[in-house]
Amino acid sequence: MSTPAPLKRLYIKTYGCQMNVYDSERMADVLRPLGYGMTDEPEGADLVVLNTCHIREKATEKVYSELGQIRLMKARKAEAGDGVMTVAVAGCVAQAEGAEIMRRQPAVDLVVGPQAYHQLPELIARTHRARGEGLAAEFSPEEKFDALPVERTASGVTAFLTVQEGCDKFCTFCVVPYTRGAEWSRPEADILAEARSLASKGVREITLLGQNVNAYDGAAGGLAALARSLGQIEGVDRIRYTTSHPRDMDGDLIAAHGENPALMPYLHLPVQSGSDRILKAMNRDHSAEHYIRLIERIRAARPDIAISGDFIVGFPGERESDFEATLSLIRQVGYASAFTFKYSRRPGTPASAMPGQVDETVKEERLARLNDLLNQQQLAFNQAQVGRVLPVLIEKPGRREGQMSGRSPYLQPVHLEASGALVGQIVSVRIVQAHRGSLTGDLSSAQLVGDKAFA
């Protein structure tokens, strides 16, 4: 009997959002039939893929710094006679900078945009034949998803599933419309097939992804109808979605939060600023008042829903009064969690050329005040769970011996003493302690439960 050829070693480093995490998993799926198996370290790998994010300047520069280290690893592998390391840059930096990446860092063999990674096998073969023919960054989401295998690998009991890509909103600070293209939705049948594949491998919670996921229109009835269909798949007990835009939060989706038991009581709905003047400069096409009224409607449908948001401080022209308006909106809404950023100039976006660029020291000071308020709110929300019994999906071992970790319906990490046999189970857990970033639970009176009965 012949000895099977050893696996080629594949290292993927993922930067940025959950959609990049999904894309990285799908790259591994595409490359697996070629004999590539994942490795945790880039040193000695046969193929290194950096799946990049272009949202902030620091993220882009981190990629070039990483490439400098990989260039040295590539040289060491060649000197040791251990074969050739192929280096690929994927994702949004690849889309935005294209051939400039290969010019700045000759160690890069191929560049592949977020809509072209299904071409990786062909590009790698072409690169092996003749170095230097390795650029693919055109937009074609239909072609990409048609080429991906339906069968998914699953590394746990939760999974991401991309249902929508691209953005038509053109916020003045954002590069996404230029790197991911126009809004496009996957057909419902394809999504359901992928979800069934995940459920068959033990996945119980699926997070639907999109740049503007609530703009999804690949099914009659939009995202609300899709979530309803997904909730009927055996084994899928929890559904989440991110990231949403206030302009696309329609009545059917709001109502679904009160009607669909599989849809978790957690909503990430970015607002970015509480100042109407800044929102207009950002081209958000909604006011602070519209956003606040929208939150009221959502809470009327699901009173206990946890609200998460995104905030940018130091946008060009932001005055102290504009920043105070953001703090006022935060106090009115009350957030369970949030992501906060200092404005970062991205070349080619309208905001990068706007007058009134804010000094970095002012940004730092405002960010600190913003985070202080949001941290207080997050802790208060978590403290409100103490004494409650929540259904927790057990995901993995915790950091301590005998400890397990899971997630509440509100996406909070929950740590508790429990058996590893409970991984993949949803159990009732009494919350006994709250921290800003997590909860501690007690399993002493736990029973197996289903989130679909949670309200």
Side-chain angles (χ1 to χ4, degrees):
M1 181 184 297
S2 61
T3 303
L7 283 175
K8 289 173 277 189
R9 292 159 292 183
L10 168 64
Y11 174 78
I12 302 178
K13 181 165 184 175
T14 306
Y15 300 79
C17 67
Q18 297 100 323
M19 289 192 72
N20 271 12
V21 174
Y22 173 88
D23 287 348
S24 291
E25 292 173 353
R26 299 304 269 151
M27 287 181 208
D29 288 340
V30 166
L31 293 166
R32 191 168 291 106
L34 277 68
Y36 284 98
M38 293 295 294
T39 180
D40 294 331
E41 296 293 336
E43 188 75 52
D46 299 291
L47 174 60
V48 171
V49 180
L50 302 186
N51 191 15
T52 61
C53 173
H54 197 58
I55 293 298
R56 287 181 286 174
E57 184 179 6
K58 283 186 178 179
T60 303
E61 289 309 311
K62 282 180 182 178
V63 171
Y64 283 109
S65 174
E66 187 87 14
L67 285 171
Q69 297 300 312
I70 289 169
R71 178 180 62 82
L72 299 176
M73 296 178 197
K74 182 173 184 174
R76 287 196 292 268
K77 183 176 172 69
E79 289 168 4
D82 189 25
V84 177
M85 175 187 286
T86 300
V87 179
V89 177
C92 292
V93 173
Q95 183 66 45
E97 303 198 9
E100 173 66 10
I101 296 170
M102 299 177 82
R103 187 195 66 78
R104 281 186 61 175
Q105 182 48 265
V108 175
D109 297 293
L110 58 97
V111 175
V112 55
Q115 308 298 7
Y117 62 74
H118 63 287
Q119 298 176 10
L120 270 171
E122 176 189 344
L123 290 168
I124 291 166
R126 189 189 305 166
T127 300
H128 287 177
R129 288 195 301 268
R131 298 274 158 174
E133 298 180 13
L135 184 63
E138 68 275 7
F139 290 120
S140 182
E142 297 95 335
E143 181 184 342
K144 177 181 78 174
F145 282 105
D146 285 347
L148 295 178
V150 173
E151 282 299 307
R152 283 281 308 275
T153 53
S155 57
V157 298
T158 66
F160 294 129
L161 201 170
T162 292
V163 303
Q164 181 271 341
E165 287 209 12
C167 180
D168 297 340
K169 304 301 188 288
F170 288 92
C171 296
T172 57
F173 55 82
C174 187
V175 297
V176 166
Y178 313 104
T179 59
R180 289 274 181 172
E183 290 178 357
W184 177 83
S185 298
R186 294 179 68 188
E188 180 182 32
D190 294 353
I191 295 167
L192 296 178
E194 190 171 327
R196 291 188 191 99
S197 174
L198 289 168
S200 72
K201 296 174 175 63
V203 169
R204 299 196 67 179
E205 175 178 304
I206 292 175
T207 300
L208 308 178
L209 300 180
Q211 267 80 35
N212 285 322
V213 69
N214 57 344
Y216 175 79
D217 62 2
L223 189 64
L226 176 64
R228 190 179 307 115
S229 297
L230 286 165
Q232 293 170 3
I233 295 174
E234 185 176 356
V236 176
D237 288 280
R238 291 181 165 194
I239 299 165
R240 306 183 190 274
Y241 61 91
T242 192
T243 291
S244 299
H245 195 291
R247 285 169 54 184
D248 295 316
M249 200 74 202
D250 63 27
D252 287 344
L253 188 54
I254 292 171
H257 277 280
E259 298 168 356
N260 185 345
L263 200 54
M264 290 294 94
Y266 173 91
L267 175 63
H268 183 64
L269 192 62
V271 63
Q272 308 301 357
S273 174
S275 163
D276 286 346
R277 192 177 72 86
I278 296 300
L279 288 170
K280 184 176 181 180
M282 289 177 167
N283 193 37
R284 291 289 292 173
D285 202 27
H286 64 79
S287 66
E289 182 69 16
H290 171 267
Y291 181 87
I292 290 168
R293 299 287 85 83
L294 189 59
I295 296 297
E296 290 175 351
R297 291 174 59 199
I298 294 163
R299 283 186 167 141
R302 183 73 197 239
D304 70 328
I305 197 164
I307 302 296
S308 173
D310 285 353
F311 297 91
I312 295 173
V313 300
F315 187 81
E318 184 186 68
R319 301 182 295 229
E320 180 63 22
S321 58
D322 298 310
F323 177 67
E324 288 292 342
T326 298
L327 296 181
S328 176
L329 179 143
I330 291 169
R331 294 186 186 102
Q332 288 183 71
V333 171
Y335 287 88
S337 62
F339 299 92
T340 60
F341 310 91
K342 293 184 297 180
Y343 169 72
S344 176
R345 284 172 108 161
R346 305 311 297 130
T349 59
S352 66
M354 286 181 178
Q357 298 289 328
V358 178
D359 187 82
E360 284 297 317
T361 57
V362 175
K363 291 181 191 178
E364 289 281 359
E365 189 272 336
R366 288 177 183 170
L367 184 66
R369 280 194 281 158
L370 182 80
N371 284 336
D372 183 60
L373 175 58
L374 288 165
N375 289 343
Q376 291 177 41
Q377 290 191 347
Q378 183 176 8
L379 179 59
F381 183 84
N382 287 354
Q383 287 174 333
Q385 312 312 314
V386 174
R388 295 187 67 192
V389 175
L390 299 179
V392 174
L393 173 59
I394 306 299
E395 296 181 14
K396 58 187 178 181
R399 294 179 180 175
R400 299 201 315 267
E401 178 110 16
Q403 185 187 64
M404 299 302 294
S405 178
R407 294 273 179 176
S408 78
Y410 309 112
L411 202 60
Q412 300 142 309
V414 181
H415 305 296
L416 64 154
E417 302 297 318
S419 164
L422 289 179
V423 169
Q425 301 296 327
I426 297 173
V427 298
S428 60
V429 175
R430 183 171 299 280
I431 305 304
V432 297
Q433 193 172 11
H435 316 279
R436 186 178 67 81
S438 65
L439 303 173
T440 301
D442 180 3
L443 198 61
S444 59
S445 59
Q447 300 176 3
L448 294 181
V449 297
D451 270 338
K452 294 179 181 179
F454 177 66

